C-alpha cells in the first residue's frame, strides 16, 4: 500500500448493486471512497426483485434495512409467486411451480431476526446511493473509467465526465472492479473465468401497457413463454401497468441485439400477451446473456473484483444481486481493516478465498433451478438443489481468516440446525440486552465480538486486553452479565459449554471458538489468534 496519501482510499468502478453496496459499507466504516458509474442514473430495470435475510442482515448494518422494507410494496399486493410455463400470457398453462412467499419465509425464519424483502433493484439502488453519500461517499454518475494503472503503491485511474468530455486523473490505494459481467477491468488484468459459460442470449424489454384483461391486477406471477415463434419470460414490476419481457435470441442463427428494434419488440409483446392491437410504451431495451461463470482470481494486487465482475449466475433462484451485496460487505470490512492498520494486506486474499466458495454454491443452486424450470436437458449434468436456506444462511467460509476446527468438505449446512463451527454464520439466538429482546446477530456487523459463556469471564477480559494491545476494535460480552440467555440456547448453539468463548468477525461469521475454561495463557492465545486471522 502506498505511503503517500492518494486522492481517495478506494475507487469503486460501477454503480450497480455490487458497487453501490461496497461504497455504502466502506463509507459507513469511515473509508474515503469515490464511485464512478458510466450511466446517468441507477438501473431502470427492476432485475433483482428480492432481498434475502442475509442481505437484510447486511443492510441492517448499512442502516438501510428499514427503508428497503418500506420500499417493498409488492408484498402487500400478494403472496403468491406462481411460476407458469405457458405458450402466451393468459393462455393454457403447460406447467406451474408454486413458490409461495410463506414457503420461503418458513425455510429461514427461525435462523435470522431479519425478514425477506421484495424491493425491486430500481428502487433499492437509489436508497444505497443516498445512504452512501450521507456517509461521505463521492458518487459520480455519467462518469467512466477510461484506463488505469495498478502497482505496488496503489492505482492511478483516468476518468471521463460523459456530460462535458473532461478527463481527470485520480489516485487510490485500492480499486474495486464492480463493472459488471463484461468487466473490462477483469479482462485488462487477464483474469480468466471458469464455469458453464453462456447458457442463452436474451433481449430485456421494460414497457408500460394496460394488460388488466390478461394479467389480473396485483398479480406477481412469472411466466416462462414457450411460444411457437420464440421463447422468453414475462413478469410484472412493482409499478402498475409496467412489465418486463425477455425474449431469447440466437446468434448462431445470425440474430443480433440490433434486430430488436422497438417495432420488433412491440410485435413480440403483442404475440406474448395475445393482444394484436396493443401499443406498449417501450421504456428500455437491453441485451443480456444468461451465463454461469466464476473468476479464477478475485484479486490482483490493489484491484478486487466484486459482484457480476467476479461471478455470473443465472437469475433463476434470485441470487446474483444478493451475492453482489455480500461481496460488497466482505470486501469493505477487509479493506477498512487493512486501511486502518488493524490487518495486514494478506487479509485481502481471504476475500476471494471466501467469496468464491459462496459463488460456487450460488451458481450450482441457480443452475439446478434453471434446469428444473427452463432446461430439463441439463438435469443430471448439474448439481441437485440444496434449498434456499442452506445457500443463503448455511454457507461456509474457509480461509486464513478463519480458525477451522475440522476438515468437513461440505460447503454448507442446514442453518435450522447450526453447528456454530468456525467459518459458518454465527447462529441466531434470542437474547436480552439492556432489558431489550435482541438477536445475537444484532451484536455483529461493525467490530469483532467475543461472546464468553457464563463461567468464561476471563476469556472476555483476556480478549479485551489482547485486542487493546493490537488496536483491534472488539466488543466483549459475558453471557449472564452483559447479555441474558433466557432460553439457555446460546451456549448450546455456539458449542461453547459453560466456560468457553466464541470469537465472531465483523461480518457475523464465527472465527474461532473453544469449549475450554480460560487458563493463564488466554491472552497470549487470543493475541496469537488475532495476529494470524488478521494477517498481521
Ligand atoms: C433479468 C434478471 C433478473 C434478475 N433477478 C435477480 C433476482 O431476483 N435476485 C438477485 O439477487 N439478482 C437478480 N439478478 C442479478 C442481478 O441483477 C445482478 O447480479 C446484479 O445487478 C449485479 O450487480 P453488479 O453491481 O455486480 O453489476 P451491474 O449491475 O452489471 O453493474 C455494473 C455497472 O458498472 C458500470 N460500468 C461498467 N464499466 C464501467 C466503466 N468503465 N466506468 C464506469 N462504469 C462502468 C455499468 O454501467 C453498470 O452499471 C437478475 C438479473 C437479471 C438480468
Amino acid at each position: 500500500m502506498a505511503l503517500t496519501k492518494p486522492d481517495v482510499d478506494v475507487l469503486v468502478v460501477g454503480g450497480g448493486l455490487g458497487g453501490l453496496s461496497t461504497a455504502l459499507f466502506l463509507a459507513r466504516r469511515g473509508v474515503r471512497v469515490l464511485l464512478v458509474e458510466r450511466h446517468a442514473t441507477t438501473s431502470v430495470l427492476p432485475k433483482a426483485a428480492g432481498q434475502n435475510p442475509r442481505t437484510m442482515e447486511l443492510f441492517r448494518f448499512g442502516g438501510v434495512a428499514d427503508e428497503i422494507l418500506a420500499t417493498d410494496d409488492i408484498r402487500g399486493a400478494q403472496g403468491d409467486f406462481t411460476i407458469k410455463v405457458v405458450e402466451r400470457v393468459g393462455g393454457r398453462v403447460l406447467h406451474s411451480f408454486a413458490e409461495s412467499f410463506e414457503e420461503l419465509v418458513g425455510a429461514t425464519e427461525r435462523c435470522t431476526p431479519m425478514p425477506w424483502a421484495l424491493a425491486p433493484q430500481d428502487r433499492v439502488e437509489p436508497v444505497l446511493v443516498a445512504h452512501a453519500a450521507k456517509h461521505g461517499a463521492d458518487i459520480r454518475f455519467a462518469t467512466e473509467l477510461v484506463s488505469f494503472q495498478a502497482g505496488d503503491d496503489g492505482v492511478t485511474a483516468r476518468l471521463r465526465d460523459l456530460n462535458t468530455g473532461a478527463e481527470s486523473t485520480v489516485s487510490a490505494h485500492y480499486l474495486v472492479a464492480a463493472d459488471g459481467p463484461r468487466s473490462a477491468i477483469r479482462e485488462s488484468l487477464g483474469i480468466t473465468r471458469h464455469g458453464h459459460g453462456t447458457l442463452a442470449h436474451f433481449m430485456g424489454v421494460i414497457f408500460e401497457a394496460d394488460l388488466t384483461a390478461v394479467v389480473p391486477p396485483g398479480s406477481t406471477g412469472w411466466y416462462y413463454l414457450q411460444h411457437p415463434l420464440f421463447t422468453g419470460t414475462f413478469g410484472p414490476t412493482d409499478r402498475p401497468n409496467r412489465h418486463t419481457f425477455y425474449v431469447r435470441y440466437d446468434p448462431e442463427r445470425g440474430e443480433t441485439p440490433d434486430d430488436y428494434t422497438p417495432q420488433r419488440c412491440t410485435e413480440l409483446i403483442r404475440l406474448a400477451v395475445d393482444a394484436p392491437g396493443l401499443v406498449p410504451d417501450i421504456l428500455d431495451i437491453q441485451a443480456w446473456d444468461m451465463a454461469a461463470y466464476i473468476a479464477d482470481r478475485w484479486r490482483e494486487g490493489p484491484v478486487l473484483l466484486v459482484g457480476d465482475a467476479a461471478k455470473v449466475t443465472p437469475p433463476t433462484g434470485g441470487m446474483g444481486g444478493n451475492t453482489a451485496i455480500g461481496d460488497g460487505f466482505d470486501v469493505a470490512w477487509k479493506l477498512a481493516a487493512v486501511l486502518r492498520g488493524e490487518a495486514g494486506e494478506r487479509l485481502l486474499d481471504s476475500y476471494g478465498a471466501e467469496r468464491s466458495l459462496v459463488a460456487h454454491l450460488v451458481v450450482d443452486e441457480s443452475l439446478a433451478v434453471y434446469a428444473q424450470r427452463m432446461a430439463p436437458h441439463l438435469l443430471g449434468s448439474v448439481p441437485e438443489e440444496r434449498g434456499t436456506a442452506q445457500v443463503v444462511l448455511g454457507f461456509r467460509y474457509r480461509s486464513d481468516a478463519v480458525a477451522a476446527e475440522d476438515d468437513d468438505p461440505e460447503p454448507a449446512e442446514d442453518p435450522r440446525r447450526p453447528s456454530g463451527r468456525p467459518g459458518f454464520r454465527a447462529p441466531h439466538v434470542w437474547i436480552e440486552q439492556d432489558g431489550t429482546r435482541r438477536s445475537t446477530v444484532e451484536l455483529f456487523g461493525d467490530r469483532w465480538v467475543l461472546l464468553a459463556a457464563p463461567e468464561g469471564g476471563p476469556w472476555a477480559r483476556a480478549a479485551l486486553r489482547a485486542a487493546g494491545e493490537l488496536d483491534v476494535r472488539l466488543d466483549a460480552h459475558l453471557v449472564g452479565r452483559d447479555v441474558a440467555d433466557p432460553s439457555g440456547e446460546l451456549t448450546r448453539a455456539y458449542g461453547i459449554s459453560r466456560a468457553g468463548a466464541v470469537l465472531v468477525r465483523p461480518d457475523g461469521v464465527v472465527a474461532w471458538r473453544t469449549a475450554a475454561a480460560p487458563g493463564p495463557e488466554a491472552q497470549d492465545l487470543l493475541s496469537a489468534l488475532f495476529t494470524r486471522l488478521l494477517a498481521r
Side-chain angles (χ1 to χ4, degrees):
M1 195 171 44
L3 294 176
T4 49
K5 195 169 181 188
D7 300 322
V8 292
D9 292 325
V10 181
L11 170 64
V12 178
V13 176
L17 288 175
L20 290 172
S21 49
T22 304
L24 168 63
F25 296 132
L26 282 170
R28 187 82 173 68
R29 293 181 189 279
V31 173
R32 295 177 308 135
V33 55
L34 165 64
L35 180 147
V36 292
E37 164 56 50
R38 166 185 284 155
H39 287 124
T41 64
T42 49
S43 173
V44 292
L45 281 172
K47 295 195 286 190
Q51 295 70 40
N52 66 47
R54 175 60 180 164
T55 297
M56 293 304 285
E57 288 177 358
L58 305 179
F59 276 174
R60 183 193 62 79
F61 171 72
V64 295
D66 290 343
E67 211 166 314
I68 297 297
L69 271 174
T71 309
D72 159 8
D73 51 13
I74 300 182
R75 185 201 313 241
Q78 47 66 57
D80 170 33
F81 290 103
T82 306
I83 294 164
K84 300 186 182 82
V85 181
V86 293
E87 225 176 57
R88 46 180 71 76
V89 177
R92 191 165 65 89
V93 177
L94 307 174
H95 308 285
S96 76
F97 307 89
E99 196 177 74
S100 75
F101 193 61
E102 286 68 30
E103 214 174 288
L104 273 178
V105 171
T108 54
E109 68 184 344
R110 279 191 290 124
C111 319
T112 170
M114 297 306 286
W116 286 77
L118 295 175
Q121 189 165 334
D122 56 334
R123 300 254 183 148
V124 171
E125 289 184 354
V127 174
L128 300 180
V129 171
H131 282 259
K134 187 181 86 184
H135 290 290
D138 181 356
I139 311 266
R140 296 186 204 163
F141 286 95
T143 306
E144 73 176 354
L145 174 84
V146 181
S147 62
F148 71 97
Q149 282 189 316
D152 292 342
D153 55 352
V155 175
T156 307
R158 194 90 188 128
L159 306 179
R160 183 183 297 133
D161 180 326
L162 296 175
N163 289 324
T164 63
E167 291 201 2
S168 59
T169 300
V170 69
S171 57
H173 284 307
Y174 295 101
L175 168 63
V176 168
D179 53 343
R182 296 192 184 90
S183 174
I185 299 176
R186 182 192 66 232
E187 285 180 7
S188 73
L189 293 169
I191 297 178
T192 47
R193 298 184 291 176
H194 59 277
H196 276 71
T198 300
L199 300 161
H201 303 273
F202 287 88
M203 296 305 296
V205 186
I206 183 155
F207 69 97
E208 288 186 347
D210 181 356
L211 294 176
T212 34
V214 270
V215 185
S219 155
T220 55
W222 192 268
Y223 297 87
Y224 287 104
L225 302 166
Q226 304 282 353
H227 193 277
L229 298 178
F230 60 88
T231 55
T233 68
F234 173 90
T237 72
D238 61 323
R239 292 173 172 84
N241 294 335
R242 188 176 287 189
H243 314 271
T244 57
F245 171 60
Y246 283 86
V247 58
R248 191 169 172 172
Y249 72 93
D250 188 356
E252 284 183 11
R253 293 209 316 243
E255 293 176 326
T256 71
D258 291 342
D259 299 336
Y260 289 80
T261 58
Q263 180 55 34
R264 173 98 188 271
C265 292
T266 296
E267 285 159 12
L268 290 166
I269 289 167
R270 286 174 178 162
L271 291 171
V273 298
D274 204 12
L278 189 78
V279 184
D281 181 8
I282 293 186
L283 305 178
D284 193 59
I285 304 175
Q286 279 185 30
W288 167 68
D289 290 348
M290 184 191 281
Y293 282 116
I294 298 177
D296 295 325
R297 282 174 291 136
W298 290 48
R299 175 184 175 210
E300 182 72 43
V303 185
L304 297 110
L305 309 185
V306 157
D308 281 13
K311 55 94 203 39
V312 179
T313 190
T316 38
M319 296 196 197
N322 281 289
T323 320
I325 294 161
D327 293 346
F329 192 91
D330 200 77
V331 85
W333 83 258
K334 289 172 180 169
L335 280 172
V338 171
L339 285 162
R340 69 181 294 274
E342 193 175 58
E345 234 197 10
R346 273 188 303 107
L347 177 68
L348 300 180
D349 291 334
S350 72
Y351 163 67
E354 295 179 350
R355 294 304 297 172
S356 63
L357 295 176
V358 170
H360 278 102
L361 208 54
V362 160
V363 167
D364 284 354
E365 186 73 2
S366 306
L367 279 169
V369 177
Y370 171 64
Q372 280 283 346
R373 290 185 191 158
M374 292 182 89
H377 63 280
L378 289 179
L379 288 170
S381 66
V382 295
E384 291 194 358
E385 271 184 73
R386 282 179 177 273
T388 306
Q390 280 205 26
V391 179
V392 169
L393 296 171
F395 60 87
R396 181 176 207 176
Y397 286 160
R398 288 177 186 285
S399 76
D400 292 344
V402 169
E405 63 183 39
D406 64 82
D407 50 15
D408 175 5
E410 268 300 297
E413 68 179 13
D414 185 343
R416 287 166 289 199
R417 288 182 290 282
S419 63
R421 285 176 293 168
F424 287 100
R425 189 178 137 274
H428 152 63
V429 177
W430 289 114
I431 53 171
E432 278 175 19
Q433 191 181 33
D434 303 327
T436 306
R437 185 178 188 251
R438 306 182 72 186
S439 165
T440 42
V441 168
E442 293 173 76
L443 300 173
F444 317 130
D446 184 15
R447 298 148 70 92
W448 288 75
V449 172
L450 185 116
L451 274 174
E455 291 158 26
W459 279 122
R461 288 192 290 281
L464 284 170
R465 281 198 299 269
E469 279 180 9
L470 291 166
D471 195 21
V472 171
R473 299 179 324 135
L474 173 107
D475 294 327
H477 304 286
L478 178 59
V479 178
R481 185 193 66 190
D482 307 321
V483 293
D485 177 22
S487 65
E489 186 60 15
L490 192 151
T491 49
R492 198 202 55 74
Y494 282 77
I496 55 173
S497 77
R498 294 284 302 162
V502 57
L503 183 64
V504 181
R505 310 189 318 182
D507 56 351
V509 166
V510 175
W512 165 88
R513 68 174 179 177
T514 180
E521 74 300 340
Q523 185 178 337
D524 289 346
L525 185 152
L526 287 163
S527 293
L529 196 62
F530 281 128
T531 303
R532 187 176 120 207
L533 296 175
L534 287 168
R536 300 269 290 229

